[in-house]
Amino acid sequence: LQGLGTLFAQKRPITDTTYKTWQEPKYGKISDDGNFIGYTITNLPVGKSTFVVKGTNVNWEKHLINLDHIKFSSDSRFLFGIQNGSTLIRLKMGSNELTDIANSSGYTMITVGGKDWLIYKKADANLVLTIENVGTGKKQLIHDVKEHISLDESTKILIRKKAEAQNLESLYILDLVSGNLRLVMKDSELSSNFIIDPCRRRLAFTV
């Protein structure tokens, strides 16, 4: 009994610094085909997080540090996310094939009818928007893009482009399927106060 008492006496107390090192699994995800699952472990390593993705029917597992904004493609072939706040990651499921795009300002994934379009722009002065059909790998580059907005549950997005004249912009609608860019308003002083209805079907703005 004396030895048992000594053992309990040596147990470290829980303090406000102790729980800061605790790890917790959260934010579970599963691919559409059910063949892959993922979850984030907070504080692994301490002060960071680790996203674990693994196969449900195969012996395959990958660990990615500090990955956020995580999405599986609708065909369950790829995993996308932002690592360390500025690098776009694409991981091919069931493999070690990982590609990254540094200095990314984020990404948008638009899925319609089982097809995915990956849209991203680097955080630099070139203002080049990349639109990629995830299924086919076909890319379209649009230059001088200041902002893009998804309008509704369709394959169309709104694009604000910098015009040649200083402080002016042009407004376009891009059809993701055809790649056609339709001009809505040219060389105007567009306000940044865009208002979109909750269904993302109507847009209002001032010039």
Side-chain angles (χ1 to χ4, degrees):
L1 291 176
Q2 183 178 0
L4 185 61
T6 302
L7 178 62
F8 278 106
Q10 293 174 345
K11 190 173 182 180
R12 294 179 59 187
I14 296 177
T15 67
D16 58 347
T17 58
T18 303
Y19 67 79
K20 291 180 181 179
T21 64
W22 289 353
Q23 298 169 0
E24 179 184 2
K26 54 200 315 186
Y27 310 129
K29 294 182 177 296
I30 186 168
S31 61
D32 283 355
D33 63 6
N35 288 330
F36 300 96
I37 61 169
Y39 53 90
T40 296
I41 302 177
T42 60
N43 250 345
L44 180 67
V46 175
K48 298 182 179 180
S49 64
T50 296
F51 183 74
V52 180
V53 58
K54 59 177 66 178
T56 56
N57 298 315
V58 293
N59 185 21
W60 176 85
E61 182 173 319
K62 291 288 288 184
H63 291 199
L64 298 166
I65 305 296
N66 279 358
L67 195 69
D68 296 301
H69 308 293
I70 303 161
K71 292 183 180 180
F72 287 104
S73 60
S74 61
D75 61 8
S76 305
R77 293 171 55 216
F78 299 102
L79 177 83
F80 296 91
I82 297 294
Q83 191 170 48
N84 296 320
S86 61
T87 300
L88 175 59
I89 295 292
R90 181 207 308 253
L91 174 65
K92 187 175 182 179
M93 294 291 90
S95 77
N96 292 320
E97 185 179 323
L98 187 146
T99 57
D100 61 85
I101 301 170
N103 198 28
S104 173
S105 59
Y107 77 98
T108 302
M109 182 79 75
I110 294 180
T111 302
V112 178
K115 296 181 179 180
D116 296 323
W117 282 268
L118 176 69
I119 305 172
Y120 61 90
K121 185 172 66 173
K122 285 195 171 185
D124 54 31
N126 293 325
L127 301 177
V128 178
L129 187 71
T130 301
I131 301 102
E132 178 183 345
N133 184 313
V134 176
T136 64
K138 184 178 179 181
K139 293 182 180 180
Q140 180 178 3
L141 304 181
I142 302 177
H143 295 263
D144 300 320
V145 175
K146 298 185 69 174
E147 183 182 15
H148 70 279
I149 304 171
S150 58
L151 293 178
D152 53 32
E153 297 299 323
S154 75
T155 57
K156 293 181 175 61
I157 62 173
L158 186 74
I159 291 180
R160 296 174 61 186
K161 292 187 62 177
K162 184 175 67 174
E164 293 183 4
Q166 189 176 9
N167 299 325
L168 296 183
E169 300 176 6
S170 295
L171 194 63
Y172 294 83
I173 291 180
L174 173 68
D175 187 307
L176 296 173
V177 176
S178 66
N180 290 334
L181 197 62
R182 180 166 62 89
L183 179 65
V184 176
M185 183 171 292
K186 184 178 181 180
D187 297 345
S188 301
E189 293 184 1
L190 296 175
S191 167
S192 60
N193 186 25
F194 282 74
I195 302 174
I196 305 174
D197 76 306
C199 295
R200 304 188 78 80
R201 296 182 183 276
R202 293 181 176 86
L203 172 72
F205 59 93
T206 57
V207 297

